[in-house]
Amino acid sequence: MLTARRRVTAVAATALSGVLLLASCGGSESGGGGDGDTLRLWHYEGPDSAMGVAWNAAIEEFEKTHPGVKVEFEEKGFEQIRKTAPMVLNSSDAPDLMEYNKGNATAGLLSKQGLLTDLSAEVTKRGWDKKLSAGVRTTSQYDANGVMGSGKWYGVPNYAEYTMVFYNKDLFEKHGIEEPTSLAELTAVMDEFVEAGITPLANAGAEYMAQQYLYQLALTKADRAWVDSYELYKGESDFHDAAWTYGAETFAEWVKKGYISEKSTGTKSEDAGVSFIQGKAPILFSGSWWYGRFKAENTFDWGTFLWPDTNLTLGSGGNLWVVPKGAKNKELAYDFIDITMSEKIQNLLGDKGGVPVAADPAAITDPQAKDLIADFNALSEKDGLAFYPDWPAPGFYDVLVSETQKLITGSADPDAYLDALGEAYEKDVPEQ
């Protein structure tokens, strides 16, 4: 199926833009109506993750530099915020600052709906734009249609992220298996584990993990133009092209071969991560957001490598700090963002297994953390960040979950799967 993107030229409303930029420095955009004594903060990072550790330190720094002001932190779940954000942000219960997922279907949609504060003036005033590379800032800016890559700043990432293969070195050694350096070798490794009665890949069919395996397989046959067509609507997306076909067929084949368990259709990402932590799954393909937790909880020797035989992998700037339009203490929110962008917090984030955007490389002392950051820098230099498969349109995440589950159970074949994706994409992607 050929999905033709209807194109129109986005016209910037210069006068209106100027008014909004000025408004962000005063009036309602300054957060009038708040008590000035409390910063209400929501995020969904675990306390042992690199971001959780760094942001707890940022809270301490914030309260030290803002005497009399308390941070009222509420930990939320990723799925909880994803599903309820539009409703909450359109109510009086909106926090002053929250972590939110980036991309057209999430932050882009909220910006289009008028639920987020335009941060453009603050970004320039505080120099956050100078700390973010072009690839990382792509997900911070959205145009009038909610499409990322240009326009006003509606979010600020203070870390970056990318996917990689995590593997249990002890299990590999126990079975006499070497680290693979090609996709053919990775396939051979998985065959050996299957023969030993072990399902090689940790997977979560009920959430993001399964669709990311399939998207990564498609990326091995794709290029930057393919990614830009799919994610940024800069061309036509054909869901029966060589890349998508390879991804769907190979994923279905991997299920049949036992690389991915048929029982994983209802598994959550937390379950998949825990199976790796407990040493049950030798391999997990997922993001750098797991790195700090694995570092804290794994009791075995483990390592990582980039997905072999491709220049592209899933990744981007990290999730965004967004300031709800209805936030009551916006200046406090801006100050907190500024602290998370400081070298002190950035260095801590990097040393705890995150991918900082503004750290001093010499200050990162942990060898594993250095390798993590080096791999990210290598991806960035070759323009290898290919975003995530659910970003193109609101509702597409749920389509990808349900349709990929059908591939796992065998209730749909790859051709029917790709038909379903194409139909949903055509229906849900906003007209350009």
Side-chain angles (χ1 to χ4, degrees):
M1 172 185 292
L2 187 64
T3 303
R5 297 267 40 90
R6 298 172 294 278
R7 310 285 306 161
V8 297
T9 303
V11 180
T14 308
L16 178 60
S17 175
V19 170
L20 289 174
L21 287 174
L22 289 172
S24 70
C25 298
S28 63
E29 290 289 332
S30 65
D35 58 18
D37 297 330
T38 306
L39 172 69
R40 294 184 63 217
L41 168 66
W42 292 2
H43 73 68
Y44 44 77
E45 304 297 340
D48 290 330
S49 70
M51 285 71 74
V53 170
W55 296 348
N56 281 337
I59 290 173
E60 292 180 12
E61 184 74 14
F62 178 89
E63 291 184 339
K64 185 189 304 180
T65 57
H66 293 71
V69 180
K70 292 295 180 184
V71 177
E72 188 179 286
F73 166 57
E74 294 182 41
E75 184 177 348
K76 305 291 183 178
F78 172 84
E79 288 290 322
Q80 180 184 12
I81 289 184
R82 185 184 73 84
K83 292 177 179 177
T84 64
M87 179 178 64
V88 171
L89 298 191
N90 211 15
S91 74
S92 59
D93 293 330
D96 299 309
L97 179 65
M98 64 183 281
E99 178 187 13
Y100 196 60
N101 200 15
K102 63 279 178 199
N104 305 335
T106 46
L109 176 63
L110 295 193
S111 71
K112 184 179 178 181
Q113 292 173 337
L115 297 176
L116 302 181
T117 300
D118 174 11
L119 303 176
S120 301
E122 289 297 322
V123 168
T124 303
K125 183 173 77 173
R126 296 176 185 256
W128 298 333
D129 53 337
K130 294 180 175 61
K131 295 184 176 183
L132 300 175
S133 67
V136 170
R137 75 173 63 172
T138 297
T139 57
S140 300
Q141 296 175 269
Y142 296 87
D143 66 16
N145 291 317
V147 179
M148 64 183 178
S150 65
K152 300 168 186 174
W153 289 72
Y154 286 102
V156 179
N158 73 333
Y159 69 100
E161 61 184 39
Y162 67 100
T163 53
M164 67 201 79
V165 180
F166 296 90
Y167 72 108
N168 184 323
K169 289 186 176 182
D170 286 353
L171 267 180
F172 271 58
E173 184 177 352
K174 178 181 177 181
H175 291 275
I177 298 172
E178 299 290 329
E179 176 188 327
T181 58
S182 67
L183 191 54
E185 289 181 5
L186 176 59
T187 302
V189 163
M190 293 190 291
D191 283 331
E192 291 189 58
F193 278 117
V194 169
E195 287 175 13
I198 298 171
T199 301
L201 299 178
N203 181 51
E207 290 181 353
Y208 62 83
M209 202 171 285
Q211 60 185 260
Q212 291 186 359
Y213 274 110
L214 193 150
Y215 186 59
Q216 180 60 71
L217 286 167
L219 289 174
T220 64
K221 304 296 183 182
D223 58 17
R224 174 54 56 186
W226 185 94
V227 172
D228 287 348
S229 294
Y230 175 62
E231 300 278 3
L232 304 178
Y233 326 134
K234 291 184 176 179
E236 298 176 340
S237 287
D238 179 359
F239 284 85
H240 286 276
D241 65 12
W244 278 115
T245 299
Y246 175 79
E249 290 181 348
T250 304
F251 182 87
E253 180 185 349
W254 283 13
V255 174
K256 290 178 182 177
K257 286 186 172 182
Y259 302 166
I260 293 171
S261 172
E262 293 179 357
K263 297 178 181 178
S264 66
T265 181
T267 304
K268 300 290 184 71
S269 297
E270 172 68 11
D271 302 322
V274 168
S275 74
F276 184 74
I277 291 169
Q278 293 177 341
K280 296 176 180 178
I283 302 169
L284 180 144
F285 173 70
S286 196
S288 50
W289 51 87
W290 287 103
Y291 207 95
R293 184 172 174 187
F294 288 167
K295 191 171 178 57
E297 298 184 28
N298 288 354
T299 58
F300 50 84
D301 191 16
W302 59 283
T304 66
F305 55 89
L306 293 175
W307 192 273
D309 294 338
T310 180
N311 288 322
L312 296 169
T313 195
L314 295 80
S316 69
N319 289 323
L320 304 172
W321 288 128
V322 299
V323 178
K325 190 76 169 180
K328 297 179 176 63
N329 292 294
K330 294 184 180 181
E331 287 298 330
L332 295 180
Y334 304 151
D335 288 350
F336 187 84
I337 294 173
D338 206 43
I339 289 172
T340 67
M341 296 290 282
S342 68
E343 191 171 278
K344 176 182 178 180
I345 300 301
Q346 287 287 297
N347 290 347
L348 175 62
L349 191 153
D351 226 26
K352 294 299 181 181
V355 184
V357 295
D360 174 8
I364 308 301
T365 57
D366 182 85
Q368 281 185 313
K370 284 181 176 291
D371 289 343
L372 178 76
I373 295 168
D375 278 348
F376 176 79
N377 290 339
L379 276 173
S380 295
E381 287 169 9
K382 63 182 181 182
D383 195 22
L385 299 176
F387 311 126
Y388 295 88
D390 59 297
W391 281 11
F396 207 53
Y397 176 91
D398 294 321
V399 172
L400 282 163
V401 169
S402 62
E403 295 301 327
T404 307
Q405 284 176 320
K406 293 176 185 176
L407 273 187
I408 296 173
T409 63
S411 61
D413 63 20
D415 196 55
Y417 172 82
L418 296 174
D419 280 345
L421 292 197
E423 289 168 10
Y425 185 88
E426 177 70 16
K427 177 174 64 73
D428 290 337
V429 168
E431 186 172 324
Q432 297 300 305

